[in-house]
Structures are given as structure tokens and as C-alpha cells.
């Protein structure tokens, strides 16, 4: 049985892929990753994601590389450089046919400068504005939440984000918090961290949360699986992540492949 995988969170718009993106994507396709979503983190990267998706459809290697979809958004660590007019640009980008989500957006209280009240306020302001854009555009959201679980839940509830739906990218909180997000209607993005020995909470989460609420992701070029830390990551790591999830749940990789593919298509409202 041929397995097919969907990498729901990539950054092929990152400049680290400029020199050899076509080669990487051919390798990824051979690994069984037939679809991916390129995630924006500011206006420039969002535009680059759209261009990659458009160029792929015009190329002569359509069967050799994954089908790209795109999310457009302003990452919480990018909001200090962002302008209010960028939100207008974001709404325009959201109308592109390759765009399937608003993201990645959210809160990041991990970095030192996030301790500053002004930084936190700006993150919250951009987060709320982008959640409202997603609701108006009827698009799901890709949520970045680091060291900010309670604040994230509160804002998602206040902004009625469950109406848009979406995914909690690179899920890193407790199994109990995972259940709260799932009850709100969100998927959880599971990536290479699940292969690492110290990822106890994440493994418990994968064991507890139904497979029907999990999607696969790499966050490439970041977060390579165990054994490849520090290396540039890409979607060829997805089968390794799927195998670890299968082990934790006591099921086959075939089931993980099938169900997470269906989940990703539901998340991004793509025909299966």
C-alpha cells in the first residue's frame, strides 16, 4: 500500500531553501508527501508562499513535487516590525485561490522581549485583528502559542475563533490543555518534537487525544526529528513522525497516514 502524507506546516518560503527548493521538493514527493501548506510569518513571506504555489502549478514537474497550499499571516514575533496597513494587505492576500488559512498568528511569551507589556499588548492586538480577518474571510487559523496557553484560550473564546476553526501549531502544552483546544474545535499539529526522548507531555497528549484531531507537520526548516537536530528540516521527515505516532497509539502507519490526510483536508477545507 502506497502511503500519502500531508505536511500541514512548512516554511518553504524561508530563504534557507532558496538555493535548492526544487530538489528538496522532489525528495519530499518521493517520501510520500503529496501535499503541504506553506505558512507565512509576515507579509513578505506570505507573498513568497503564494508565488511558490503558483510557480509550481506552471512547472513541468507537477507529478514530481507536492501540491502547495498557503497560509498568510503575521507571526507574534514579527508584529514589532509590522504596520497596521499590513492587515489590509493581509486581507487582500487572503483572497488568492492558493490561500487556505490565516497564519501563523498568535502569542509568544517565551522570548525575553515578550516580558515587556508593550510587546505583549501589540501581540494581542495583532492576534485579535487577524482572528477577525479569518472570520470575515471564512478561513481557518494556524495558531502559534508558546508559554501563553491561558491567554490564547481566552482570546480564542472572546473572538469566537471556533467559528473559523484551525490548528494549534507545534502543540507543546499538557494533555489537559489539549482537551480544551480540541473541545473548541481545533486540531493539534504534531511534528518532529514527538520523536525526542524528553517530549513526555507531548507523547502523553498524542496517546490521549483521538487521532481524528491530530495533523502532521514539520515546521521546516525548523524542529528536525531526533537524530537530525540542528539540521535543516524538510517534509521528508513526515513519515518518521507518523511512525512515532503509530507506535504511541498502537496502530499502523497506514492508519496514521489515512486519518491525518483526511484531517488535514478537513482543516484546510480541501477536497480529499
Amino acid at each position: 500500500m502506497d502511503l500519502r502524507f500531508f505536511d500541514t506546516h512548512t516554511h518553504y518560503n524561508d530563504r534557507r531553501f532558496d538555493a535548492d527548493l526544487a530538489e528538496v521538493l522532489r525528495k519530499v514527493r518521493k517520501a510520500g508527501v503529496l501535499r503541504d501548506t506553506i505558512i507565512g510569518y509576515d507579509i513578505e513571506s506570505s507573498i513568497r508562499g503564494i508565488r511558490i504555489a503558483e510557480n509550481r502549478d506552471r512547472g513541468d514537474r507537477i507529478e514530481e513535487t507536492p501540491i502547495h497550499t498557503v497560509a498568510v499571516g503575521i507571526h507574534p514575533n514579527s508584529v514589532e516590525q509590522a504596520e497596521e496597513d499590513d492587515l489590509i494587505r493581509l486581507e487582500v492576500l487572503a483572497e488568492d485561490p492558493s490561500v487556505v488559512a490565516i497564519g501563523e498568528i498568535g502569542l509568544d511569551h517565551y522570548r525575553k522581549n515578550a516580558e515587556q507589556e508593550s510587546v505583549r499588548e501589540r501581540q494581542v492586538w495583532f492576534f485579535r485583528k487577524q482572528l477577525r480577518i479569518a472570520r470575515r474571510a471564512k478561513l481557518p487559523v494556524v495558531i502559534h502559542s508558546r508559554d501563553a496557553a491561558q491567554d490564547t484560550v481566552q482570546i480564542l473564546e472572546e473572538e469566537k475563533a471556533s467559528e473559523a476553526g484551525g490548528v494549534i501549531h507545534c502543540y507543546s502544552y499538557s494533555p489537559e490543555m489539549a482537551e480544551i483546544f480540541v473541545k473548541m474545535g481545533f486540531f493539534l499539529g504534531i511534528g518532529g518534537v514527538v520523536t525526542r526522548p524528553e517530549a513526555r507531555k507531548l507523547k502523553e497528549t498524542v496517546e490521549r487525544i483521538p487521532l481524528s484531531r491530530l495533523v502532521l507537520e514539520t515546521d521546516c526548516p525548523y524542529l528536525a526529528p531526533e537524530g537530525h537536530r540542528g539540521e535543516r528540516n524538510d517534509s521528508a521527515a513526515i513519515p518518521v513522525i507518523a511512525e512515532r505516532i503509530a507506535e504511541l497509539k498502537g496502530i499502523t502507519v497506514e492508519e496514521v497516514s489515512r486519518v491525518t490526510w483526511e484531517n488535514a483536508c478537513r482543516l484546510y477545507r480541501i477536497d480529499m
Side-chain angles (χ1 to χ4, degrees):
M1 177 181 177
D2 291 332
L3 303 180
R4 62 176 182 172
F5 297 103
F6 194 138
D7 187 346
T8 61
H9 196 113
T10 75
H11 293 293
Y12 289 125
N13 46 2
D14 189 287
R15 292 302 185 186
R16 277 169 278 190
F17 290 109
D18 280 359
D20 62 346
L21 180 58
E23 180 182 343
V24 169
L25 293 175
R26 286 194 293 272
K27 178 187 74 169
V28 162
R29 176 78 184 210
K30 289 178 181 178
V33 180
L34 308 188
R35 280 187 175 272
D36 65 50
T37 302
I38 302 172
I39 309 292
Y41 43 90
D42 57 19
I43 295 301
E44 181 184 354
S45 63
S46 297
I47 292 171
R48 285 204 303 273
I50 291 171
R51 287 175 177 166
I52 291 169
E54 290 174 344
N55 289 340
R56 188 261 179 203
D57 289 338
R58 296 194 196 102
D60 58 0
R61 302 188 185 92
I62 194 163
E63 296 302 326
E64 297 181 22
T65 57
I67 296 172
H68 304 298
T69 49
V70 182
V72 296
I74 303 171
H75 189 287
N77 291 331
S78 298
V79 300
E80 289 179 82
Q81 296 75 43
E83 302 173 354
E84 291 186 24
D85 284 351
D86 285 341
L87 295 170
I88 299 173
R89 299 182 183 99
L90 188 64
E91 291 213 61
V92 173
L93 293 177
E95 297 176 358
D96 189 277
S98 67
V99 172
V100 295
I102 301 297
E104 68 187 276
I105 64 176
L107 302 175
D108 193 317
H109 294 170
Y110 174 76
R111 297 190 178 186
K112 287 184 179 180
N113 68 343
E115 296 173 0
Q116 301 173 17
E117 188 62 28
S118 62
V119 173
R120 292 199 176 199
E121 289 177 356
R122 190 164 179 83
Q123 285 191 8
V124 167
W125 189 85
F126 270 90
F127 188 22
R128 290 185 184 275
K129 291 292 186 181
Q130 291 180 98
L131 288 171
R132 293 168 192 174
I133 288 173
R135 288 182 61 202
R136 287 196 295 271
K138 295 181 170 57
L139 290 173
V141 288
V142 179
I143 302 297
H144 174 106
S145 179
R146 191 173 187 187
D147 288 0
Q150 294 296 341
D151 289 345
T152 301
V153 168
Q154 180 179 340
I155 291 171
L156 291 175
E157 289 177 340
E158 290 174 354
E159 296 295 336
K160 301 179 182 178
S162 59
E163 294 180 8
V167 57
I168 310 301
H169 152 61
C170 191
Y171 186 77
S172 61
Y173 299 126
S174 68
E176 292 76 19
M177 183 60 67
E179 291 176 337
I180 293 172
F181 285 120
V182 166
K183 285 179 182 177
M184 295 174 69
F186 287 88
F187 291 91
L188 306 181
I190 309 298
V193 175
V194 77
T195 68
R196 299 179 179 180
E198 71 274 17
R200 181 181 55 82
K201 287 193 302 182
L202 179 58
K203 292 171 184 175
E204 291 176 4
T205 297
V206 169
E207 290 172 344
R208 184 184 302 190
I209 299 300
L211 185 61
S212 61
R213 303 310 300 175
L214 305 182
V215 293
L216 306 180
E217 61 170 51
T218 58
D219 199 24
C220 65
Y222 311 104
L223 298 180
E226 185 67 16
H228 298 277
R229 294 194 193 198
E231 298 177 16
R232 186 186 68 176
N233 196 15
D234 62 53
S235 300
I238 285 286
V240 176
I241 297 165
E243 288 171 6
R244 190 68 185 105
I245 292 173
E247 291 171 3
L248 289 168
K249 287 193 160 297
I251 58 178
T252 65
V253 176
E254 287 80 7
E255 185 174 358
V256 173
S257 166
R258 177 182 59 81
V259 176
T260 57
W261 177 278
E262 293 170 355
N263 294 347
C265 291
R266 288 205 310 275
L267 163 63
Y268 290 134
R269 300 161 195 173
I270 296 169
D271 292 339
M272 296 184 193

